[in-house]
Amino acid sequence: MEERLQKYMAKCGVASRRKCELLITEGKVKVNGLCVKELGIKVTPNVDVVEYNDKIIVPEEKKVYLLLYKPEGYITSLNDEKGRKTIMDLININERVFPIGRLDYDSSGLLLLTNDGDIYNKIIHPRVKIKKKYIAVVKGKFTQKEMDLFMNGVDIGGYVTANCEIKEISFENNNSTVEIVIHEGKNRQIRKMCSAFNHNVVSLKRISVGNIKLGYLKKGEYRELTKDELNYINSL
C-alpha cells in the first residue's frame, strides 16, 4: 500500500514527519535513484527504494518508546554542528529514535523519544492540547495579580500564549518555586512568559506530559514506556 514519503521516512526512524518534510524539500532524499524535492510523493514499501543522504533506509523492525530524564547542558537533537552534547549521548540502543517535542539546553526533565511516527503525531498534533507540567524556580515573587494575568495569556513577542495554570509552591532567598502547566510548546515559552513579569527563570524542569510522569528516574537515566502509558497515548 502506498504511503506518503515523509510518513515512510518517519517509520524508518529518520526523524519526525515534520522534519522529514524539510529534508525532502532540501533535496536530501532520493526515490528509486531520483532526487525528490516536492511534498505529496507516495512510495510503496518493499517496492520503491528510498535513500536519505545516499543511504538506503528501511522501516524500523522494532518500535522503541523511551522516557528520558534530560539533564541541563544537553540539546534536544540527534547531532549538533557546534559539537555540544546531545540527548543521544545519553542513550545506548541500536535503534535510531527521535525526540517528541523539545526541552531547551538549560532545562531538564521528561523527554519522550521514539522511532514510531504515528505515536509522535498523537502527542505533537496541535489538536491534542496535551498538558505539560513544569517546576520552575524564578527570581522574585509572583503577586496574585501577576499570576492571574499569567494564566490568561502572555505576549511573548508577537504571540499571545493560551490559558494555562500557575501556582506557588514555596518562596525563599528571594526565589519562588512555582508549578506551571501549559499545553503549547513554543520555543523557550515558559522562560519568556516569566520574563514578561520580570521573574527570570533560574531553573526549569518538566515533570509530566499528560498522564506520563517523570517518576523515580535520575538525571541522564531513561526507561521504556509501560504498556499503560502506550495505551494512554494511543487513546489521545
Side-chain angles (χ1 to χ4, degrees), residues 85-97:
K85 292 182 290 186
T86 78
I87 54 173
M88 301 314 296
D89 293 319
L90 302 168
I91 297 170
N92 182 25
I93 61 173
N94 293 324
E95 294 77 16
R96 179 183 173 92
V97 294

PDB file of all heavy atoms in Angstrom, residues 85-97:
ATOM      1  N   LYS A  85      26.959  18.601  23.583  1.00  0.00           N
ATOM      2  CA  LYS A  85      26.392  17.303  23.953  1.00  0.00           C
ATOM      3  C   LYS A  85      24.910  17.266  23.577  1.00  0.00           C
ATOM      4  O   LYS A  85      24.191  18.250  23.755  1.00  0.00           O
ATOM      5  CB  LYS A  85      26.563  17.070  25.459  1.00  0.00           C
ATOM      6  CG  LYS A  85      28.001  16.881  25.899  1.00  0.00           C
ATOM      7  CD  LYS A  85      28.109  16.607  27.380  1.00  0.00           C
ATOM      8  CE  LYS A  85      27.762  17.847  28.206  1.00  0.00           C
ATOM      9  NZ  LYS A  85      28.018  17.621  29.654  1.00  0.00           N
ATOM     10  N   THR A  86      24.474  16.127  23.065  1.00  0.00           N
ATOM     11  CA  THR A  86      23.069  15.960  22.699  1.00  0.00           C
ATOM     12  C   THR A  86      22.455  14.834  23.519  1.00  0.00           C
ATOM     13  O   THR A  86      23.168  14.045  24.162  1.00  0.00           O
ATOM     14  CB  THR A  86      22.898  15.623  21.202  1.00  0.00           C
ATOM     15  OG1 THR A  86      23.203  14.232  20.992  1.00  0.00           O
ATOM     16  CG2 THR A  86      23.808  16.480  20.336  1.00  0.00           C
ATOM     17  N   ILE A  87      21.132  14.747  23.474  1.00  0.00           N
ATOM     18  CA  ILE A  87      20.441  13.688  24.215  1.00  0.00           C
ATOM     19  C   ILE A  87      20.866  12.299  23.748  1.00  0.00           C
ATOM     20  O   ILE A  87      20.792  11.341  24.517  1.00  0.00           O
ATOM     21  CB  ILE A  87      18.910  13.830  24.083  1.00  0.00           C
ATOM     22  CG1 ILE A  87      18.494  13.894  22.607  1.00  0.00           C
ATOM     23  CG2 ILE A  87      18.428  15.058  24.853  1.00  0.00           C
ATOM     24  CD1 ILE A  87      17.003  13.855  22.390  1.00  0.00           C
ATOM     25  N   MET A  88      21.360  12.174  22.508  1.00  0.00           N
ATOM     26  CA  MET A  88      21.778  10.869  22.007  1.00  0.00           C
ATOM     27  C   MET A  88      23.049  10.376  22.691  1.00  0.00           C
ATOM     28  O   MET A  88      23.357   9.180  22.648  1.00  0.00           O
ATOM     29  CB  MET A  88      21.980  10.916  20.486  1.00  0.00           C
ATOM     30  CG  MET A  88      20.731  11.333  19.710  1.00  0.00           C
ATOM     31  SD  MET A  88      19.217  10.477  20.245  1.00  0.00           S
ATOM     32  CE  MET A  88      19.608   8.790  19.832  1.00  0.00           C
ATOM     33  N   ASP A  89      23.787  11.285  23.339  1.00  0.00           N
ATOM     34  CA  ASP A  89      24.956  10.872  24.117  1.00  0.00           C
ATOM     35  C   ASP A  89      24.553  10.111  25.375  1.00  0.00           C
ATOM     36  O   ASP A  89      25.393   9.460  26.018  1.00  0.00           O
ATOM     37  CB  ASP A  89      25.801  12.098  24.519  1.00  0.00           C
ATOM     38  CG  ASP A  89      26.442  12.777  23.313  1.00  0.00           C
ATOM     39  OD1 ASP A  89      26.910  12.045  22.428  1.00  0.00           O
ATOM     40  OD2 ASP A  89      26.457  14.021  23.264  1.00  0.00           O
ATOM     41  N   LEU A  90      23.276  10.184  25.724  1.00  0.00           N
ATOM     42  CA  LEU A  90      22.784   9.546  26.947  1.00  0.00           C
ATOM     43  C   LEU A  90      22.128   8.195  26.690  1.00  0.00           C
ATOM     44  O   LEU A  90      21.886   7.437  27.622  1.00  0.00           O
ATOM     45  CB  LEU A  90      21.755  10.466  27.634  1.00  0.00           C
ATOM     46  CG  LEU A  90      22.238  11.862  28.021  1.00  0.00           C
ATOM     47  CD1 LEU A  90      21.055  12.742  28.409  1.00  0.00           C
ATOM     48  CD2 LEU A  90      23.222  11.765  29.187  1.00  0.00           C
ATOM     49  N   ILE A  91      21.837   7.907  25.417  1.00  0.00           N
ATOM     50  CA  ILE A  91      21.029   6.731  25.092  1.00  0.00           C
ATOM     51  C   ILE A  91      21.867   5.694  24.353  1.00  0.00           C
ATOM     52  O   ILE A  91      22.527   6.004  23.363  1.00  0.00           O
ATOM     53  CB  ILE A  91      19.813   7.145  24.233  1.00  0.00           C
ATOM     54  CG1 ILE A  91      18.923   8.077  25.049  1.00  0.00           C
ATOM     55  CG2 ILE A  91      19.020   5.924  23.775  1.00  0.00           C
ATOM     56  CD1 ILE A  91      17.828   8.729  24.254  1.00  0.00           C
ATOM     57  N   ASN A  92      21.826   4.464  24.846  1.00  0.00           N
ATOM     58  CA  ASN A  92      22.616   3.389  24.252  1.00  0.00           C
ATOM     59  C   ASN A  92      21.678   2.284  23.750  1.00  0.00           C
ATOM     60  O   ASN A  92      21.408   1.307  24.447  1.00  0.00           O
ATOM     61  CB  ASN A  92      23.600   2.829  25.278  1.00  0.00           C
ATOM     62  CG  ASN A  92      24.495   1.739  24.698  1.00  0.00           C
ATOM     63  OD1 ASN A  92      24.725   1.707  23.491  1.00  0.00           O
ATOM     64  ND2 ASN A  92      24.975   0.859  25.550  1.00  0.00           N
ATOM     65  N   ILE A  93      21.150   2.475  22.552  1.00  0.00           N
ATOM     66  CA  ILE A  93      20.294   1.471  21.918  1.00  0.00           C
ATOM     67  C   ILE A  93      20.682   1.353  20.449  1.00  0.00           C
ATOM     68  O   ILE A  93      21.345   2.244  19.910  1.00  0.00           O
ATOM     69  CB  ILE A  93      18.791   1.816  22.038  1.00  0.00           C
ATOM     70  CG1 ILE A  93      18.488   3.161  21.352  1.00  0.00           C
ATOM     71  CG2 ILE A  93      18.333   1.838  23.489  1.00  0.00           C
ATOM     72  CD1 ILE A  93      17.020   3.488  21.276  1.00  0.00           C
ATOM     73  N   ASN A  94      20.290   0.269  19.827  1.00  0.00           N
ATOM     74  CA  ASN A  94      20.637   0.059  18.421  1.00  0.00           C
ATOM     75  C   ASN A  94      19.747   0.851  17.474  1.00  0.00           C
ATOM     76  O   ASN A  94      20.171   1.251  16.400  1.00  0.00           O
ATOM     77  CB  ASN A  94      20.547  -1.435  18.077  1.00  0.00           C
ATOM     78  CG  ASN A  94      21.611  -2.246  18.801  1.00  0.00           C
ATOM     79  OD1 ASN A  94      22.727  -1.777  19.000  1.00  0.00           O
ATOM     80  ND2 ASN A  94      21.255  -3.455  19.210  1.00  0.00           N
ATOM     81  N   GLU A  95      18.482   1.055  17.881  1.00  0.00           N
ATOM     82  CA  GLU A  95      17.530   1.730  17.010  1.00  0.00           C
ATOM     83  C   GLU A  95      17.765   3.241  17.017  1.00  0.00           C
ATOM     84  O   GLU A  95      18.210   3.815  18.012  1.00  0.00           O
ATOM     85  CB  GLU A  95      16.091   1.438  17.451  1.00  0.00           C
ATOM     86  CG  GLU A  95      15.674  -0.009  17.297  1.00  0.00           C
ATOM     87  CD  GLU A  95      16.225  -0.898  18.383  1.00  0.00           C
ATOM     88  OE1 GLU A  95      16.671  -0.367  19.426  1.00  0.00           O
ATOM     89  OE2 GLU A  95      16.238  -2.128  18.202  1.00  0.00           O
ATOM     90  N   ARG A  96      17.434   3.868  15.904  1.00  0.00           N
ATOM     91  CA  ARG A  96      17.523   5.329  15.791  1.00  0.00           C
ATOM     92  C   ARG A  96      16.189   5.917  16.238  1.00  0.00           C
ATOM     93  O   ARG A  96      15.141   5.601  15.685  1.00  0.00           O
ATOM     94  CB  ARG A  96      17.812   5.726  14.341  1.00  0.00           C
ATOM     95  CG  ARG A  96      17.909   7.225  14.089  1.00  0.00           C
ATOM     96  CD  ARG A  96      18.129   7.475  12.600  1.00  0.00           C
ATOM     97  NE  ARG A  96      18.065   8.888  12.258  1.00  0.00           N
ATOM     98  CZ  ARG A  96      19.119   9.698  12.218  1.00  0.00           C
ATOM     99  NH1 ARG A  96      20.318   9.232  12.510  1.00  0.00           N
ATOM    100  NH2 ARG A  96      18.993  10.959  11.871  1.00  0.00           N
ATOM    101  N   VAL A  97      16.207   6.749  17.259  1.00  0.00           N
ATOM    102  CA  VAL A  97      14.983   7.359  17.771  1.00  0.00           C
ATOM    103  C   VAL A  97      15.077   8.868  17.648  1.00  0.00           C
ATOM    104  O   VAL A  97      16.174   9.430  17.496  1.00  0.00           O
ATOM    105  CB  VAL A  97      14.726   6.976  19.241  1.00  0.00           C
ATOM    106  CG1 VAL A  97      14.433   5.496  19.383  1.00  0.00           C
ATOM    107  CG2 VAL A  97      15.917   7.370  20.132  1.00  0.00           C
TER     108      VAL A  97
END
